[in-house]
Amino acid sequence: VATVDVRITTVAGTSPITTSDHFVYAGTPAVTSVSPSSGTSAGGSSVTVKGTGFTAVEAVTFGSVTGTAVKVTSAKQLTVTTPGHAVGTVDVQVATPGGTSVRVTADHYSFTLPPVTGVTAKPGATSVLLSWINPKGAAVAGVMIRRAAGKIPPSSRTQGTLVTSTGPTAASYTD
């Protein structure tokens, strides 16, 4: 941000410098940190962005998707609500009349899968009915459960038989 004097020059001369001829030039904003630096792909998380040049902010984007509820708290800090976005890491950029912040490592935000919720288990005589609510989002293909035959649990995350459900809730699986 810089203040300059606007002067007019004609054949009759140049206008004098006065306080009423000031023009404030807003430079390009810069992002120096994003906190937190990750959240779910469902969006709706509040994020604090720090940097410089946050005057007359026009938009805050996460990759190519615009955030909402932008609140500028100072020329060096703002808060924004994340949009829904595909899983992955994106640049958070701030746009002002002076330009758009340059992509830097400090502006990275990672969208992660939302958690599985509503998990219940109902044991039966020969099976266990597992139910859950799959997270919503384009990147969610289903929920995977690994099980071992009989009563012995798997000894690692990759041992056992894979059970997959891609519906809104899961169905039972019987040995």
Side-chain angles (χ1 to χ4, degrees):
V1 177
T3 302
V4 295
D5 292 301
V6 177
R7 300 180 71 191
I8 307 296
T9 302
T10 67
V11 290
T14 302
S15 64
I17 297 172
T18 66
T19 56
S20 61
D21 72 4
H22 289 172
F23 174 79
V24 178
Y25 169 77
T28 304
V31 174
T32 58
S33 72
V34 176
S35 180
S37 60
S38 67
T40 74
S41 60
S45 299
S46 180
V47 172
T48 299
V49 180
K50 292 184 179 180
T52 58
F54 297 169
T55 54
V57 172
E58 297 171 337
V60 178
T61 55
F62 291 77
S64 61
V65 185
T66 304
T68 60
V70 176
K71 181 180 179 189
V72 178
T73 54
S74 74
K76 295 182 177 185
Q77 181 173 308
L78 62 81
T79 58
V80 59
T81 301
T82 60
H85 196 285
V87 171
T89 300
V90 298
D91 292 291
V92 177
Q93 292 183 278
V94 177
T96 69
T100 300
S101 60
V102 175
R103 293 179 179 109
V104 294
T105 303
D107 72 13
H108 287 179
Y109 185 86
S110 296
F111 286 96
T112 61
L113 287 174
V116 173
T117 59
V119 178
T120 61
K122 292 183 183 177
T126 60
S127 66
V128 174
L129 174 66
L130 298 175
S131 299
W132 61 83
I133 300 169
N134 279 342
K136 294 180 178 17
V140 179
V143 174
M144 295 183 285
I145 298 174
R146 295 216 177 253
R147 67 171 180 83
K151 296 180 181 182
I152 301 170
S155 60
S156 73
R157 295 183 326 170
T158 58
Q159 182 189 31
T161 304
L162 182 61
V163 180
T164 306
S165 171
T166 57
T169 60
S172 66
Y173 188 91
T174 306
D175 272 336

